[in-house]
Amino acid sequence: MSKPIVAIVGRPNVGKSTLFNALAGERIAIVQDFPGVTRDRIYADVTWLDKQFTMIDTGGIEPESSDVLLSYMRQQAEIAIETADVIMFIVDVRQGLVDDDFKVADMLRRSTKPVILVVNKVDSFEKLMPDVYEFYNLGIGDPFPVSAASKLGLGDMLDEVISHFPTDAASEEEDERPRIAIVGKPNVGKSSIINKLLGEDRVIVSDIAGTTRDAIDTTVTYNKKEYVFIDTAGLRRKNKIKEDIERFSIVRTVSAVERADIVVLVIDAGEGVTEQDAKIAGIAHERGKGVIITVNKWDSIEKNDKTIYQYSAKIKQTLSFMPYAEMIFISALTGQRMPKMFDLIEQVIQNQNLRVSTGVLNEIMTEAVAMQQPPSDKGKRLKLYYITQVSVKPPTFVIFVNDKQLMHFSYTRYIENKIREAFGFAGTSLKFFIRERKEKE
């Protein structure tokens, strides 16, 4: 079930990042950084009461001049309107109401998406309330006074945010069809891949407008089975400000990945794998999605018998944090190896849903421990008692040990590799949770 998406919009210096960090808490700062993945902190998972959502900060680059500012703000608002379930519009009580606030409020109001008006920097509710009321003039409902810096008023604001989440979770829950997001940098051929998949005679196309978002989800039937493709390519807008394109395409990618079971990361064969690709791959990895790395335009490359190996090695090196990803070399133009994509997708779906019996897992673990002694520290050695699989999509395991501190990341990785040797699990990440049990139990 995909989490709702909440986007933050507002002029520069109204405290968007402060609010973002206050809500994201410290957790986001300690995510282990994968080599080659730079972290723009543009999205974070937030839990409030029993609700979880993904928060996206659409801001980022500060425009130079005031006329650029408005077009920039418009873009931000467009992105938010396009990808979010709920929009938080941040204004600053100290700067008061500004002309640009009205213009952005107009766009947001017309979007029919729920908008929460957040008045930031209200350090004293008694003194500043009259200034807060001024924001009623925007005509988008009650202003919520907060101070992101002092973490005041955040509870009421979050209550309001989650009250707008779609409740029809049940209807979406029943849609068992696999969801595949086609993602990648602009111009790598995402649309041509979707068109090629649709172009086959066997394929019956029916367009269902993406549930709450404007992305077009396309149903493709292959071998009597339905797949839903989430296309992020069709959403490109004419962008004035060049360096924003990258950030904005990432915002879109986050929302597509969030809704997908499998992520097809498209790479341009001529360009090779770039840092932006690594960033997108990192998002899919972190979200535990199935991953298929698809090198498109393979027909345009001069090849000898070693080309494909050298190319694969280069990708594996750049995306070293996801050695499990499946890889395929295609040409959407000529249709080369396109049918094989469905076989791969099907294979990854099987692996994402694979359950391994507890008995077998413990045999693998016992053997692994016998082959490589667990680490010890100051004379105390790590003991692994028991392993069991607790869920699928992605396959998730709990290992019970005597001391969590001793279970190094590298030893968990070693156990993971042993499980993969036995069962493959190609194309899907595996998650491990380490729990402590006292000797006596």
Side-chain angles (χ1 to χ4, degrees):
M1 184 61 204
S2 63
K3 297 192 202 86
I5 291 184
V6 177
I8 295 182
V9 175
R11 285 179 298 106
N13 307 321
V14 293
K16 293 195 296 291
S17 308
T18 317
L19 183 65
F20 184 85
N21 294 341
L23 296 178
E26 303 316 303
R27 285 176 315 179
I28 187 172
I30 52 176
V31 174
Q32 58 206 48
D33 279 329
F34 306 113
V37 181
T38 55
R39 248 315 129 70
D40 294 345
R41 299 183 41 175
I42 83 165
Y43 68 95
D45 290 327
V46 180
T47 306
W48 178 246
L49 304 179
D50 57 346
K51 297 276 195 291
Q52 284 191 321
F53 60 92
T54 298
M55 181 171 55
I56 296 187
D57 179 4
T58 58
I61 299 137
E62 311 281 289
E64 315 287 282
S65 65
S66 56
D67 52 322
V68 181
L69 178 65
L70 187 63
S71 74
Y72 172 71
M73 285 289 302
R74 280 209 183 101
Q75 256 173 320
Q76 257 193 8
E78 278 174 11
I79 288 283
I81 288 166
E82 199 175 277
T83 53
D85 295 298
V86 179
I87 298 164
M88 289 166 69
F89 180 30
I90 318 295
V91 291
D92 179 345
V93 76
R94 295 197 201 133
Q95 296 175 24
L97 255 179
V98 185
D99 222 15
D100 287 354
D101 288 335
F102 280 104
K103 291 177 178 147
V104 175
D106 275 346
M107 280 185 70
L108 296 176
R109 196 170 39 239
R110 286 199 299 270
S111 76
T112 70
K113 294 271 173 96
V115 179
I116 316 296
L117 176 59
V118 181
V119 184
N120 193 17
K121 306 190 187 174
V122 184
D123 303 323
S124 152
F125 284 11
E126 283 105 75
K127 289 200 195 99
L128 295 169
M129 274 325 265
D131 300 336
V132 172
Y133 294 138
E134 184 192 357
F135 288 95
Y136 271 108
N137 291 318
L138 286 173
I140 43 178
D142 299 329
F144 283 80
V146 303
S147 162
S150 331
K151 300 192 179 176
L152 295 173
L154 300 185
D156 290 348
M157 175 193 77
L158 286 168
D159 286 345
E160 181 65 21
V161 168
I162 65 174
S163 73
H164 293 281
F165 288 169
T167 47
D168 54 359
S171 60
E172 206 171 309
E173 218 27 273
E174 282 155 23
D175 190 350
E176 291 289 296
R177 299 175 301 177
R179 294 176 166 271
I180 296 109
I182 308 263
V183 301
K185 296 204 313 288
N187 308 323
V188 290
K190 299 189 288 284
S191 315
S192 5
I193 288 178
I194 293 225
N195 293 342
K196 199 72 182 177
L197 292 172
L198 298 181
E200 309 277 343
D201 313 332
R202 286 167 301 197
V203 170
I204 304 148
V205 186
S206 64
D207 277 345
I208 39 172
T211 37
T212 50
R213 297 174 191 80
D214 310 326
I216 297 294
D217 292 357
T218 313
T219 309
V220 178
T221 307
Y222 182 82
N223 281 348
K224 301 199 175 119
K225 181 168 175 181
E226 285 197 354
Y227 301 83
V228 178
F229 282 87
I230 303 168
D231 180 11
T232 51
L235 296 176
R236 206 164 311 124
R237 291 274 164 81
K238 298 282 173 281
N239 269 341
K240 306 282 181 297
I241 307 171
K242 272 288 170 271
E243 60 269 34
D244 291 4
I245 294 182
E246 177 159 329
R247 183 186 185 89
F248 284 171
S249 61
I250 289 246
V251 170
R252 266 183 204 142
T253 301
V254 172
S255 77
V257 167
E258 195 62 74
R259 295 169 54 217
D261 302 311
I262 293 182
V263 173
V264 172
L265 172 61
V266 185
I267 290 172
D268 183 322
E271 248 184 277
V273 63
T274 65
E275 189 179 321
Q276 170 88 339
D277 296 322
K279 219 182 265 188
I280 294 173
I283 294 170
H285 172 76
E286 210 174 79
R287 291 287 193 264
K289 304 296 182 179
V291 179
I292 298 173
I293 296 162
T294 305
V295 182
N296 189 21
K297 310 184 187 175
W298 192 239
D299 54 319
S300 63
I301 299 284
E302 292 285 313
K303 290 182 270 296
N304 59 30
D305 53 352
K306 303 212 173 42
T307 316
I308 211 156
Y309 298 108
Q310 292 162 343
Y311 214 96
S312 304
K314 177 86 179 70
I315 292 176
K316 281 207 180 313
Q317 187 187 343
T318 311
L319 305 179
S320 58
F321 54 87
M322 46 174 19
Y324 55 83
E326 284 285 11
M327 211 179 295
I328 183 172
F329 294 81
I330 65 161
S331 162
L333 189 68
T334 65
Q336 180 189 11
R337 292 205 196 86
M338 290 289 286
K340 187 157 186 282
M341 271 188 73
F342 280 106
D343 302 341
L344 263 188
I345 287 169
E346 211 27 65
Q347 192 185 322
V348 174
I349 291 169
Q350 301 299 323
N351 287 334
Q352 281 184 307
N353 290 291
L354 185 60
R355 282 186 187 274
V356 181
S357 77
T358 302
V360 174
L361 281 172
N362 283 285
E363 275 171 36
I364 293 172
M365 185 172 81
T366 310
E367 199 174 303
V369 169
M371 281 164 60
Q372 188 175 321
Q373 279 275 297
S376 62
D377 185 34
K378 303 194 179 65
K380 184 174 187 186
R381 185 168 293 286
L382 169 70
K383 286 190 185 135
L384 285 72
Y385 297 128
Y386 187 74
I387 180 171
T388 185
Q389 184 176 350
V390 290
S391 65
V392 293
K393 275 177 58 171
T396 304
F397 304 88
V398 175
I399 303 178
F400 291 95
V401 300
N402 60 337
D403 184 348
K404 261 165 92 160
Q405 294 332 106
L406 291 173
M407 186 79 174
H408 295 297
F409 175 65
S410 57
Y411 203 75
T412 308
R413 174 62 59 85
Y414 164 68
I415 298 286
E416 172 175 343
N417 290 341
K418 288 294 171 207
I419 293 174
R420 283 188 186 279
E421 273 170 34
F423 291 99
F425 281 115
T428 179
S429 61
L430 303 181
K431 283 210 167 19
F432 288 87
F433 291 104
I434 311 302
R435 300 256 190 283
E436 259 176 40
R437 267 196 3 203
K438 292 293 160 271
E439 306 268 346
K440 287 197 264 317
E441 288 182 29

